[in-house]
Amino acid sequence: MSDMYNNFQKYFEIVEANTNELLEIVYRIRYQVFCVEHDFLDASLYPDKLEKDNYDNHSSHVLLRFRSSGDFIGAVRLILFDPLQPEKLFPVELYTQLDPTLCNIKALPRQHIAEISRSVVVKQFDRRRGERRESRADVTDESSAERNRRASDRRSTPHLSLMLMAAVMRMSIKHNIRYWISAKDPALNRLLGYNGLSFNPIGPPVNYHGMRRPYYANVDDVLTRMYKEHHDAWEVVTDCGKYSPAHIN
């Protein structure tokens, strides 16, 4: 197993938000990021400080927890097909401009499509992590070897966005999802691409909770590419194959 996978397991935990208490944490994190930190949404519309919408009831929600503190530092949801409203469109279909020549979503089996949505990380976590690093540098009795080991750990620890994709993967296997769609920042797509997780653009950028572009990915294609070309990231995303179609192991 790679250092990237070992550090992911050492420092972080994926928690399915399958109780009312955990769901409230998800909604509070989303409020903090979307309404307070980035002002994408009007905070006055959420007096209870819980950011929710009409897709949450047919979504799978996952949290990312930092093990040493127990803090929940990020969340992501997977919007699933709603069997009670089979004609209901995904947000990508409503709020972006899709090019059917690049991907005709309507031709795909909708029960196997999921939209990756509300992928968020709290700003404070990155700041606290930076403060921890600075304080470590000031410790005079820490050996050079120990400082080098810590620096190596940081370099081999996966980016938080990759860890959230590991959460997405768990839910995708659980719900038999074969196709991912998403409206995301093109810079995030490029960042994920460094680990073989880039999606295909299927429309122009639009202003939707910031500048976003619609993307599509075939789950099998992504995992096959990662397994061959970015195996350490594949280990993180699939938990060393535990959450992966059997033929990609």
Side-chain angles (χ1 to χ4, degrees), residues 45-208:
L45 299 177
Y46 307 94
D48 56 1
K49 298 185 178 180
L50 303 176
E51 191 278 305
K52 298 183 284 186
D53 65 22
N54 65 1
Y55 288 95
D56 286 316
N57 288 338
H58 56 96
S59 296
S60 280
H61 303 266
V62 190
L63 288 155
L64 184 64
R65 178 157 53 195
F66 190 51
R67 289 186 185 274
S68 66
S69 66
D71 291 342
F72 289 105
I73 62 168
V76 65
R77 74 177 176 184
L78 203 59
I79 301 176
L80 306 170
F81 168 75
D82 185 356
L84 300 179
Q85 302 181 73
E87 73 289 347
K88 186 175 182 179
L89 299 178
F90 289 100
V92 160
E93 297 175 284
L94 287 173
Y95 302 115
T96 71
Q97 301 169 21
L98 301 179
D99 184 343
T101 65
L102 297 175
C103 177
N104 185 3
I105 291 177
K106 296 185 184 302
L108 300 174
R110 294 185 76 81
Q111 68 271 26
H112 297 303
I113 303 173
E115 179 168 340
I116 301 169
S117 171
R118 295 296 197 268
S119 180
V120 293
V121 174
V122 294
K123 187 177 181 180
Q124 290 89 334
F125 175 75
D126 285 331
R127 181 165 66 248
R128 288 199 300 267
R129 182 170 59 180
E131 291 167 354
R132 286 195 300 274
R133 291 176 182 176
E134 291 173 2
S135 66
R136 288 168 182 163
D138 293 335
V139 177
T140 57
D141 60 351
E142 184 176 56
S143 69
S144 175
E146 178 65 12
R147 286 195 298 272
N148 289 339
R149 186 193 64 78
R150 291 184 185 277
S152 178
D153 276 358
R154 291 196 297 269
R155 286 193 298 271
S156 59
T157 298
H159 192 273
L160 293 173
S161 60
L162 185 67
M163 299 185 222
L164 289 175
M165 283 303 300
V168 166
M169 192 68 244
R170 295 186 183 195
M171 295 298 98
S172 297
I173 292 297
K174 179 178 180 178
H175 295 285
N176 196 20
I177 298 303
R178 302 174 189 171
Y179 311 98
W180 287 325
I181 54 177
S182 183
K184 57 184 174 178
D185 183 345
L188 174 59
N189 193 56
R190 289 193 297 272
L191 177 64
L192 289 170
Y194 296 141
N195 290 300
L197 259 170
S198 59
F199 289 19
N200 301 313
I202 54 174
V206 297
N207 190 358
Y208 170 56

